[in-house]
């Protein structure tokens, strides 16, 4: 049998373990690393002198479940050296599905371009495999879909029968290859899930990632709930994007809780996205009973002063502590004149209360509510510096993969094009808070170990040949708040399972990702 051999010569090898870089060679034979150090073999060569050689980056917090079906090239990710994505986070994801229309509410980047023809985890993973993604993909089982499949939009705790049904769906999904369980307890479909309900479900899984119930006021209490849940369920815990939206003090309380749990022996870590703002739909201001309405009924609700009053008390993710100047509408074709303006400014113009302005904006966008997206300025660089300096923290995109051409060209999701490159530029080069070996560890070995991948995230003989070669002085993000869709720069070569996907900074058109089943 003819083996394909490739040697990456003379780069500074950062092996993903956190060990200091050493100049050496990396030999790839077919889909695996064959040797690291001094390699004499006859092989195709990549000259890596002056460059860094590392394992492919692992995105522990991705929402690419659906976009990889629409465009499997994962261009935004490959240009940053990402070779593995963990999807199914925050209670969002592509299975299990009973009613596709209902399920689409908990799928990031959902469009009608791709019909949902699958229902189970196994069927979804088959579908993904058939799409041949450029990156490896592992998925969690999203609680949002478990609930939508079982209770629909019912805004109440599950009864015993429903909980039993959710446990069964979760176990099936894990049996079919999912790696753990995730919740998004702050989101409408999951808000009514009780701590006991979540604990019973988490108990079925080896790994539990949670977007906690409160991420502003009360954030630390919500982290405490996550720790109790995981402790009672005896499951490995990942607190998703731990840093709260209400300042450095709350941030420190959250981190202290994690530290204290670690000291007690609990297996817990956390991650953070790389934005100083959150991105979501403006319709997040609506309570579940309004969100569940069909188009015409919702329009009625939004028009009716009495029902507006009934909605005002809803505690929404967009509350921003009542400071609507922090919530900024993005460019859109419903209200183009208000793109890049805050809800506070729009409301002031219209002589309205901010919530009424939001309801009016939604009323005009009621045909397709996804067109009205907002960012919420919520985090500071001080919070980022402290979180990412913490040894238990890894970065994640908290975004979908995108591409500047093709079916996703007009989509955006802050972080997609920037997260890993930002992490390197900000933490290693600009702020000098992490050494290169530690930064690489946080992008590779640490997240791989967290999810349970033992043959990725490290460069050693026998491991999968997910390898990147980059210029450590040049790797950087270029996307900005209002122009996010710019490819990162500085990445030179990306191998995914030995398949040369980026060569000299250019896509080769090859796609070598694997759908990973536990
Ligand atoms: Zn989340």
């Amino acid at each position: 049998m003819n083996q394909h051999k490739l040697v990456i010569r003379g780069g500074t090898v950062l092996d993903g373990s956190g060990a200091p870089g050493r100049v050496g060679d990396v030999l790839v034979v077919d889909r695996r690393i064959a040797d690291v150090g001094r390699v004499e073999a006859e092989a195709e060569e990549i000259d890596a002198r002056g460059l860094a050689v590392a394992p492919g980056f692992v995105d522990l917090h991705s929402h690419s479940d659906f976009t990889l079906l629409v465009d499997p090239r994962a261009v935004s990710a490959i240009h940053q050296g990402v070779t593995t994505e963990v999807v199914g986070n925050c209670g969002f994801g592509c299975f299990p599905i009973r009613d596709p229309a209902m399920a689409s509410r908990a799928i990031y980047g959902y469009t009608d371009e791709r019909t949902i023809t699958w229902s189970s985890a196994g069927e979804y993973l088959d579908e993904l495999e058939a799409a041949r993604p450029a990156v490896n993909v592992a998925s969690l089982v999203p609680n949002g879909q478990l609930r939508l499949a079982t209770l629909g939009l019912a805004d109440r705790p599950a009864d015993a029968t429903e909980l039993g049904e959710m446990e069964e769906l979760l176990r099936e999904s894990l049996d079919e290859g999912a790696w753990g369980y995730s919740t998004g307890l702050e989101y409408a479909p999951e808000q009514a899930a009780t701590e006991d309900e979540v604990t019973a479900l988490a108990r079925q899984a080896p790994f539990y990632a949670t977007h906690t119930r409160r991420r502003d006021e009360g954030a630390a209490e919500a982290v405490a709930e996550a720790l109790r849940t995981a402790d009672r369920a005896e499951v490995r815990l990942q607190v998703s994007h731990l840093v709260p939206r209400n300042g450095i003090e709350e941030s420190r309380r959250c981190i202290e809780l994690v530290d204290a749990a670690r000291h007690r022996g609990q297996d817990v870590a956390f991650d953070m996205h790389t934005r100083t703002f959150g991105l979501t739909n403006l319709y997040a201001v609506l309570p579940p009973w309004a969100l569940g309405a069909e188009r015409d009924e919702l329009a009625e609700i939004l028009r009716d002063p009495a029902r507006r009053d009934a909605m005002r008390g809803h505690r929404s993710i967009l509350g921003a502590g009542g400071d609507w100047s922090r919530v900024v509408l993005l460019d859109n074709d419903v209200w183009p004149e208000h793109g890049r303006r805050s809800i506070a400014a729009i409301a002031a113009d219209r002589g309205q209360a901010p919530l009424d302005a939001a309801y009016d904006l939604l009323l005009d966008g009621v045909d397709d509510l996804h067109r009205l997206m907002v960012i919420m300025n919520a985090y500071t660089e001080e919070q980022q510096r402290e979180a990412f300096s913490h040894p238990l923290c890894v970065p994640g995109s908290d975004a979908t993969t995108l591409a500047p051409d093709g079916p996703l060209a007009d989509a955006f999701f802050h972080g997609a094009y920037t997260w890993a490159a930002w992490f390197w530029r900000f933490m290693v080069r600009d702020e000098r808070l992490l050494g290169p070996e530690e930064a690489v560890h946080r992008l590779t070995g640490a997240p791989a170990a967290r999810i349970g991948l033992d043959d990725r995230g490290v460069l050693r003989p026998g491991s999968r040949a997910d390898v990147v070669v980059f210029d450590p002085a040049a790797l950087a993000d270029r996307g900005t708040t209002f122009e996010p869709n710019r490819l990162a720069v500085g990445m030179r070569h990306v191998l995914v399972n030995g398949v040369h996907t980026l060569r000299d900074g250019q896509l080769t058109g090859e796609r070598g990702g694997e759908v990973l089943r536990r």
Side-chain angles (χ1 to χ4, degrees), residues 61 90 211 241:
H61 195 99
C90 299
H211 173 138
H241 38 58

Side-chain angles (χ1 to χ4, degrees), residues 31-353:
R31 297 177 87 80
R32 291 187 185 269
I33 307 284
D35 202 359
V36 180
R38 176 155 282 288
V39 172
E40 302 295 346
E42 287 271 317
E44 182 193 340
E45 296 211 359
I46 291 176
D47 181 0
R49 285 174 298 175
L51 302 174
V53 182
F57 300 162
V58 177
D59 185 355
L60 190 58
H61 195 99
S62 165
H63 289 302
S64 305
D65 316 60
F66 191 80
T67 57
L68 284 170
L69 295 173
V70 176
D71 185 343
R73 297 173 301 158
V75 177
S76 57
I78 291 291
H79 276 268
Q80 297 178 75
V82 180
T83 58
T84 299
E85 304 240 338
V86 179
V87 301
N89 275 291
C90 299
F92 283 65
C94 281
F95 62 84
I97 289 175
R98 284 196 177 143
D99 172 355
M102 178 81 78
S104 67
R105 293 165 182 277
I107 296 176
Y108 273 108
Y110 176 78
T111 60
D112 295 332
E113 269 170 66
R114 179 92 193 197
T115 314
I116 296 175
T117 52
W118 62 90
S119 58
S120 67
E123 287 166 8
Y124 163 72
L125 295 173
D126 287 347
E127 194 79 13
L128 193 56
E129 213 151 51
R132 296 198 303 112
V135 291
N136 305 307
V137 190
S139 186
L140 307 175
V141 186
N143 191 52
Q145 294 298 9
L146 290 177
R147 265 198 147 243
L148 288 173
T150 311
L151 287 97
L153 288 166
D155 189 23
R156 58 169 174 78
D159 66 26
T161 313
E162 290 157 346
L163 180 56
E165 219 176 312
M166 286 196 286
E167 287 175 356
E168 186 58 36
L169 284 171
L170 173 55
R171 278 194 297 267
E172 270 172 31
S173 304
L174 291 165
D175 286 346
E176 290 171 9
W179 293 76
Y181 165 63
S182 85
T183 56
L185 299 172
E186 195 181 24
Y187 294 110
E190 296 178 61
Q191 278 174 4
T194 64
E195 190 173 325
D196 284 346
E197 178 180 323
V198 174
T199 303
L201 289 161
R203 191 169 286 133
Q204 315 297 321
F207 176 77
Y208 172 44
T210 178
H211 173 138
T212 57
R213 209 177 282 282
R214 303 254 183 276
R215 301 203 51 252
D216 35 57
E217 195 192 326
E221 168 46 33
V223 170
E225 177 190 345
L227 290 163
R228 280 194 306 271
T229 300
D231 190 42
R232 287 167 60 205
E234 297 178 44
V235 63
R236 193 159 86 244
L237 175 65
Q238 183 76 14
V239 183
S240 301
H241 38 58
L242 174 91
V243 173
R245 296 188 289 263
N246 61 334
I248 189 78
E249 294 305 325
E250 190 86 18
S251 222
R252 288 176 182 151
R253 280 192 283 277
C254 293
I255 292 173
E256 277 163 21
L257 286 170
V258 170
D259 277 332
R262 264 277 162 169
H263 283 124
R264 291 194 303 270
Q266 193 168 353
D267 188 350
V268 53
F270 62 99
D271 52 72
M272 188 54 200
H273 59 68
T274 59
R275 303 178 285 258
T276 52
F277 49 84
L279 171 77
T280 191
N281 297 291
L282 180 60
Y283 68 64
V285 300
L286 301 176
W289 60 264
L291 264 181
E294 296 299 329
R295 181 216 172 277
D296 290 351
E297 194 196 338
L298 179 56
E300 276 307 306
I301 293 170
L302 289 166
R303 260 193 289 267
D304 177 4
R307 284 193 280 180
R308 281 194 178 198
D309 285 342
M311 292 194 288
R312 285 180 214 281
H314 173 60
R315 180 176 183 146
S316 101
I317 193 171
L318 288 181
D323 183 358
W324 291 92
S325 67
R326 287 163 51 179
V327 182
V328 178
L329 187 67
L330 293 181
D331 290 325
N332 68 89
D333 55 8
V334 184
W335 291 91
E337 67 274 36
H338 289 321
R340 307 191 186 190
R341 303 189 70 213
S342 75
I343 300 297
I346 296 168
D349 263 17
R350 300 166 57 89
Q352 286 180 306

